[in-house]
Amino acid sequence: MDQTRRVPLSEIYKTFFVIGLFSFGGGLVSWIYRDTVDVRKWMSREDFLPGVALAQVMPGVSSTNCAIYVGQILRGWLGALTAITAMLSAPFVISLAAAWAYKSLLHIPGFQETMVGVAAAAIGMLLRTGVEAARPQLRDISAMAIMVASFLAVGVFRFPLVPVICVMGPLSVALAWPKAKAEVEA
Amino acid sequence: MNADTLIRIFTIIAPLSLASFGGASSIYAPMQHEVVDIEHWITAREFLDLFAISRAMPGPGSLFCTLVGWQVAGLAGAVVASIAIYLPSSIVVYGVGHVWSRHRGKRWHNALERGLNPLGAGLLFSGVVTLAKLASDGFLPIAIIAVVCALNVWKPKIHPVIFLISGGGLCYAAYAFA
């Protein structure tokens, strides 16, 4: 990537620190897009977009994966390290503070019951994310089969995740290969 | 807390990092198995509470691992768990990213997307089921899960925190007035 101007690491840190601080429940990749492409013009739309698919496809959370991709394009490995550290630093401290407070709240009557309700609401939102992720798979019989099989293997039969991935990952990509298309060459 | 525990935290979480297709949800089932059922580091109750905290606070869902590390081995545990969940997958993204952006639009991109996205979707449901089992003591939590999911589909703009507060409030009310 030839950069017309080098983005300072401190700017990368500042930008991703703020994104991390206000990151609640998804939608972060579009926020990163807005901040780095639209507002700061650090990179072009064409440079950013492949990162969205990459962040989604690779293991790990898509928002932190996207931060690594953007950091890498801007400033190589140092940029990637800066972006992910920045994005996690505020949530790290805030979450630990919350976990610390949690321990001292445990003895309050009704607190445990309340936490179940909070968890249930969070599970409901997760389920909605699942519904969104499942929708595009329903058009394709082999994608649907892989989705159901991976759910049954890990969620119902409780097979260990790593061997399941080692078997299902290559199998699923092989099944998808005949249907895969090359987009217009860049 | 001794070094053995920290090493164990790392060796449990790091492989899951590489296998976490579809995001943090894919690791709830294996994490519960390892830290609750096998190691007995935390109870099922604490597991669910830490999940709730990780979702109520800013940050990606995988900060859940950081909270488990903290609960098991304090600050050192939190740091080790964070490195274990973020470093391996990040190295993969970094490595693939180089090739990925140079070969955009190629057929193998599309094959990976078509192949790995359904896998991630299936694993997401495995996480939902694992957590729902822990939360479902009685009718109310199940109802909250269903209603929040439906409302979230219907009105995607509602802020997540509103759902979390309402869910907690409902369960507290049920406790207080029962």
Side-chain angles (χ1 to χ4, degrees):
Chain A
M1 294 295 140
D2 45 314
Q3 282 306 123
T4 43
R5 109 193 131 91
R6 262 158 74 95
V7 177
L9 290 175
S10 59
E11 286 297 310
I12 298 178
Y13 192 93
K14 248 190 273 173
T15 303
F16 281 95
F17 182 87
V18 174
I19 294 174
L21 182 59
F22 294 102
S23 56
F24 277 99
L28 277 192
V29 171
S30 53
W31 191 351
I32 298 176
Y33 176 87
R34 207 172 56 222
D35 263 19
T36 57
V37 180
D38 288 345
V39 179
R40 291 181 174 76
K41 314 229 185 289
W42 283 346
M43 58 204 298
S44 68
R45 182 185 147 83
E46 287 66 37
D47 279 341
F48 186 91
L49 286 185
V52 179
L54 177 78
Q56 174 71 39
V57 162
M58 290 295 125
V61 181
S62 59
S63 56
T64 49
N65 286 352
C66 185
I68 286 174
Y69 177 83
V70 169
Q72 175 180 19
I73 286 191
L74 295 176
R75 291 295 300 269
W77 69 269
L78 214 52
L81 187 65
T82 305
I84 189 170
T85 311
M87 197 160 170
L88 293 175
S89 44
F92 181 86
V93 174
I94 295 171
S95 296
L96 289 192
W100 177 79
Y102 156 78
K103 271 193 174 168
S104 49
L105 292 172
L106 271 175
H107 66 276
I108 296 175
F111 178 72
Q112 297 234 313
E113 286 74 9
T114 308
M115 287 303 280
V116 172
V118 177
I123 296 167
M125 289 189 276
L126 216 53
L127 182 59
R128 185 253 172 167
T129 314
V131 171
E132 299 289 315
R135 221 174 256 170
Q137 319 308 334
L138 301 179
R139 278 171 284 169
D140 184 305
I141 186 78
S142 62
M144 218 163 85
I146 290 290
M147 181 174 76
V148 173
S150 60
F151 161 67
L152 289 177
V154 176
V156 178
F157 298 116
R158 310 305 293 264
F159 291 148
L161 180 64
V162 175
V164 169
I165 294 288
C166 291
V167 174
M168 303 270 288
L171 176 71
S172 183
V173 175
L175 283 173
W177 182 257
K179 279 166 280 181
K181 290 183 285 285
E183 286 157 33
V184 191
E185 292 297 312
Chain B
M1 201 42 76
N2 56 34
D4 284 352
T5 310
L6 294 179
I7 293 170
R8 190 84 190 91
I9 292 175
F10 188 84
T11 53
I12 287 174
I13 298 178
L16 298 182
S17 168
L18 293 174
S20 62
F21 290 93
S25 311
S26 55
I27 62 166
Y28 292 129
M31 276 291 276
Q32 191 219 1
H33 184 66
E34 294 282 354
V35 303
V36 179
D37 300 344
I38 294 183
E39 299 289 346
H40 300 291
W41 279 337
I42 58 175
T43 64
R45 195 62 187 252
E46 286 169 326
F47 187 91
L48 189 68
D49 288 351
L50 293 179
F51 161 75
I53 295 171
S54 75
R55 292 286 158 169
M57 294 298 129
S62 40
L63 268 183
F64 169 74
C65 291
T66 305
L67 295 179
V68 171
W70 186 83
Q71 189 83 1
V72 174
L75 188 59
V79 172
V80 169
S82 307
I83 293 172
I85 193 63
Y86 289 111
L87 189 64
S89 65
S90 298
I91 289 174
V92 171
V93 173
Y94 183 80
V96 178
H98 269 294
V99 197
W100 188 270
S101 55
R102 247 165 256 167
H103 296 255
R104 66 187 62 158
K106 291 280 171 67
R107 188 182 187 187
W108 61 271
H109 278 202
N110 192 240
L112 279 181
E113 284 177 52
R114 280 171 177 260
L116 295 179
N117 283 344
L119 192 59
L123 294 176
L124 211 159
F125 285 112
S126 78
V128 170
V129 166
T130 302
L131 294 163
K133 269 192 210 152
L134 297 179
S136 58
D137 52 349
F139 168 75
L140 188 57
I142 304 278
I144 292 174
I145 293 173
V147 170
V148 166
C149 177
L151 270 176
N152 212 347
V153 171
W154 186 43
K155 297 256 185 231
K157 297 272 180 211
I158 299 179
H159 199 275
V161 170
I162 295 179
F163 286 123
L164 300 173
I165 292 174
S166 312
L170 271 176
C171 280
Y172 181 78
Y175 161 82
F177 298 111

